[in-house]
Every structure is written in C-alpha cells, then in structure tokens.
Amino acid sequence: MGKGGRVDAQKAQESKGDVWASSYKPLDAKAPELPTKGEIKAVIPKHCFNRSAVRSMMYVFRDLTMATGFVYLTSQYLSTDLPEELLSLDALKWASGWSFYAFWMGTILTGPWVLAHECGHGAFSDSQTFNDIIGFILHQALLVPYFAWQYTHAKHHRRTNHLTDGESHVPATAKETGLGENGEREGLYAAIHEVLGDGLFAMFQVWTHLAIGWPLYLLGVASTGRLAHDGTELEGIADHFRPGSPMFPPKVRGKILLSTVGVVATLGVIMHLSMTYGFLPVALWYWGPYSFVNAWLVLYTWLQHTDPSVPQYGADEWTWVKGALSTIDRPYGIFDFFHHRIGSTHVAHHLFHEMPCYHAKEATAHIKAFLEPKGLYNYDPTAWWVVMWRVSKTCHYVQDNTGIQYYKSLEDIPLTKDLKKKA
C-alpha cells in the first residue's frame, strides 16, 4: 500500500458499521484542506483561555478532600492486618475491599495528577512560578519527576503523531517489531505474539501498558522517542532522572536534578513509613492506588492517539496541525468528573494546551462545530474498555517511519509454522 496506508482496511472497517473510524484520510485525493491553528482558535470564545488560580485551587481542594474522606471511610471498615485464614470468606472480603479502595483511590488521585499536568502546561494560573510550585508538590507526591516530564510532555504536544520526533507512544516499525521484509517473524516481539496467540497477546499488551508501562517509560526502557534534544538519533537510555539524559538540553538540567531529588525524597518518606508502620499497610494505602493512577494516565495517552484509522506521519509529511488533529476524543462516563474531562476534551487540549480544563468542554463544542462538517473532528463514542481491547489487538506497528503510515496488526501476519507448510 502506498506510503504504508491502509485505505482498503479503513473502508472495510467502516463498512461494518459497528466500528468507528476517522473520517479524515490524507491519502484520499478528496481530503479536505486543513485549517490553521489561528482559524480554529478564532471559533472559540476568548474567555475559554482565561486562567484563574483561585478556581484551579478549588479543584485541587475538591480532589484532595475526596481523597481524604475516602481514606477516612476506608479506615473505618478495613484493617491492614492480614486475615488469619487466607483461604476464607473473610480473606476474600479483605482482598475485595482493598482492591476496591486501590481502584477508586487511584481514580480520585488521577484528578490531582491531571491538575499538576495543567500546571506543567501553564494552564493552572497566569503565574508559571505558582504553577510550578503546585505542580511540583502534586506530582512529586505521586513519584512523577515534575520538571522532567513537563519537558518531555511538551515535546509530545509539539510533535504529536510524528514518527521520528514524537515523544511517548511512538509506534514501532515492522523491523523494530521483529518482522522481516516479507513478513517473517525474526524478532522477539513478533515471536511473543506467535507463542501467545491473538487473545493472550492482546492481554499482554494491556498489561504492559497499564501495569508497567509508566515506570518503564520514566526509566527510558519503553515508549520513548527516536531523537535526542539536539535532533540527532537517540543513543543510550533516555530516562527522566539523569540530568545528562539525551532528552534534555543543558539549560534544563538543574530542574531535572531537582525533580529527581524530589522523587528520591518522596521514596525516602515512603520507606520511613514502611519501616515504622510496616510494608503491608503502606502497600495497601499507597502503592495500590499509585498503580491505578499510572494505569489511568497511560490509558489516556494510549487511547487518545491510537487507532487503526488515524494516521501517523513521517518527517516529510508531518505538520503541527496534522498531528494535533490526529487526537481522538472519547467518552469516559463518570471518570470525566474525577479526571477533569482530560479524555473527552483531548482534541481541544492538544490544540490549545494552555486552556484550563474547566473551559475545555465549552471549547470542544465550538471546535466540533467547526471541524466536524469538514470531516476533521475525531470522536469515537465506543466505550473505552472496548476500544482498549480493540487497540491492543489491532495497533502493534507501522510499516516504516516515512510518509503517511497507519497502525497494523500482528494478527494479519502469517504464523511461522504456516509459512513452513507452504514452503
């Protein structure tokens, strides 16, 4: 397919009628001309860009009040002591109760995580100094190196869906996935798919993204970009903790060090609490919710930019507007309340990251009214858990990192044993 496009696959997908597909197809000769950022901004009321420190702090207070109240209620009903009989109804109730707490506390604490993310973008208030103070405190409490992630996340916004200079969730190529020129499974990743099979490999995809994806990304082991800060090909490990990591230019290395010191200090406090009160209580109260916070933030970044019908661009095709309009809005139901609509207004967020989250819903309505008639607004009404499974089965790699590419699936690659039979 020209430039790696999956036009036929997209048409087949749309013909089913039950699977959403983006209506913008840049390979189509009739593809609409893209508007400029200024033209899109002009349709949004000016007050949507007004930032209020007081209003933003009210959301911080709201989220932390919910978290405090939930901790208190949990302490009234659950004990951190292991049940005497591990194979008992009491043990099942205990495990279920703490699992319930971990999920919902993680869900609540994703709210402050998003607000700290707003601070990094400058959307929290008119003062970047104030933003950085609040963002640093909130993110460090959740073991996020605030300034390091602020820098790399800004690049994610500057180079959205850029196959060579993008940051986080940059698709692997066929070669990087372990596929030969004729689809032979020559590498580890492709071999894992063959061993596990379609269903188990999709589960593996979900687990690697949601359970270990975030710490692996921070450590520079997975999902990083391809280029260093100076535009050269990335060499070595691009982690978020070393001031000398190839992602960071010299001018920000002092801030990177400060973030790392903050993370180490937070870990020190957690270790002290563990030594004082026990490792199990700290694991139940902190590490359980922490794991779900990580799962939520990776889920959003993964699903808001990944779909078989959404294009990825090589350096020869990419423009900022193309990248930003490749973002997808999705419904998250009750979780929109907890997470400040970060998933259902993500298009607006990528177009104008400096816009406060509390104006994003109104802005999205205007953006949709302007872009949708042109076929340029991506909104997938499918439930997020259904999309997560679909993406985990269909979005494994792109053919190359040049031109216009679409995600492909290892499920479409013949198994080695089948190729041997044909031979």
Side-chain angles (χ1 to χ4, degrees), residues 94-390:
W94 183 87
S96 299
W98 280 111
S99 296
F100 180 87
Y101 164 80
F103 175 79
W104 282 106
M105 180 56 85
T107 297
I108 291 170
L109 291 179
T110 303
W113 202 106
V114 171
L115 294 174
H117 151 268
E118 292 263 300
C119 291
H121 279 303
F124 194 82
S125 77
D126 289 332
S127 169
Q128 192 55 45
T129 300
F130 182 72
N131 295 342
D132 287 341
I133 292 172
I134 298 300
F136 185 86
I137 293 171
L138 293 177
H139 262 179
Q140 299 302 142
L142 294 169
L143 296 177
V144 180
Y146 173 76
F147 289 112
W149 188 78
Q150 179 190 46
Y151 183 86
T152 58
H153 188 64
K155 184 179 180 182
H156 164 69
H157 275 256
R158 291 196 307 271
R159 296 290 187 269
T160 305
N161 282 35
H162 195 304
L163 286 169
T164 55
D165 200 23
E167 178 63 37
S168 84
H169 297 273
V170 179
T173 63
K175 183 178 180 180
E176 293 166 342
T177 304
L179 296 176
E181 292 183 3
N182 298 312
E184 308 92 341
R185 295 170 183 260
E186 299 175 342
L188 179 62
Y189 201 64
I192 291 175
H193 173 265
E194 179 153 2
V195 171
L196 294 179
D198 295 344
L200 284 178
F201 185 78
M203 293 175 64
F204 175 72
Q205 283 276 92
V206 172
W207 179 77
T208 54
H209 277 80
L210 304 191
I212 62 174
W214 175 246
L216 290 182
Y217 172 62
L218 291 183
L219 292 169
V221 179
S223 194
T224 58
R226 291 189 169 91
L227 300 181
H229 70 86
D230 58 0
T232 60
E233 186 174 347
L234 192 62
E235 295 182 359
I237 297 176
D239 63 276
H240 282 71
F241 299 103
R242 290 177 301 132
S245 176
M247 293 190 294
F248 306 121
K251 66 178 181 180
V252 301
R253 288 176 181 171
K255 289 184 175 181
I256 306 307
L257 178 60
L258 179 61
S259 292
T260 301
V261 170
V263 170
V264 172
T266 303
L267 285 171
V269 172
I270 294 171
M271 179 59 68
H272 173 72
L273 293 173
S274 299
M275 298 295 290
T276 304
Y277 299 102
F279 287 90
L280 179 60
V282 172
L284 294 171
W285 287 115
Y286 183 85
W287 292 115
Y290 170 80
S291 66
F292 279 102
V293 171
N294 293 349
W296 274 118
L297 67 97
V298 171
L299 180 76
Y300 282 120
T301 311
W302 187 22
L303 298 190
Q304 308 314 130
H305 302 286
T306 308
D307 189 90
S309 68
V310 170
Q312 310 279 332
Y313 299 97
D316 54 330
E317 288 282 352
W318 183 89
T319 66
W320 185 88
V321 171
K322 283 182 178 179
L325 293 183
S326 297
T327 308
I328 310 164
D329 281 345
R330 302 188 187 278
Y332 286 89
I334 191 174
F335 302 110
D336 263 344
F337 167 77
F338 293 102
H339 302 159
H340 307 284
R341 302 185 183 277
I342 191 63
S344 60
T345 62
H346 214 70
V347 174
H349 174 63
H350 261 263
L351 285 167
F352 308 105
H353 62 260
E354 70 279 10
M355 180 191 299
C357 59
Y358 42 81
H359 290 316
K361 183 180 179 181
E362 179 183 356
T364 294
H366 292 277
I367 291 170
K368 179 180 179 180
F370 177 67
L371 293 178
E372 195 169 50
K374 307 175 188 295
L376 297 175
Y377 175 67
N378 290 325
Y379 175 76
D380 181 0
T382 312
W384 61 266
W385 57 90
V386 176
V387 173
M388 179 181 68
W389 184 249
R390 185 175 74 209

Side-chain angles (χ1 to χ4, degrees), residues 19-39:
V19 177
W20 176 85
S22 175
S23 57
Y24 176 61
K25 302 175 180 60
L27 293 172
D28 193 323
K30 297 181 180 179
E33 182 178 350
L34 300 182
T36 65
K37 182 179 181 180
E39 289 172 336

Side-chain angles (χ1 to χ4, degrees), residues 198-199 202 205 388-396 409-411:
D198 295 344
Q205 283 276 92
M388 179 181 68
W389 184 249
R390 185 175 74 209
V391 165
S392 69
K393 288 175 67 65
T394 61
C395 298
H396 299 151
S409 173
L410 287 170
E411 295 184 9

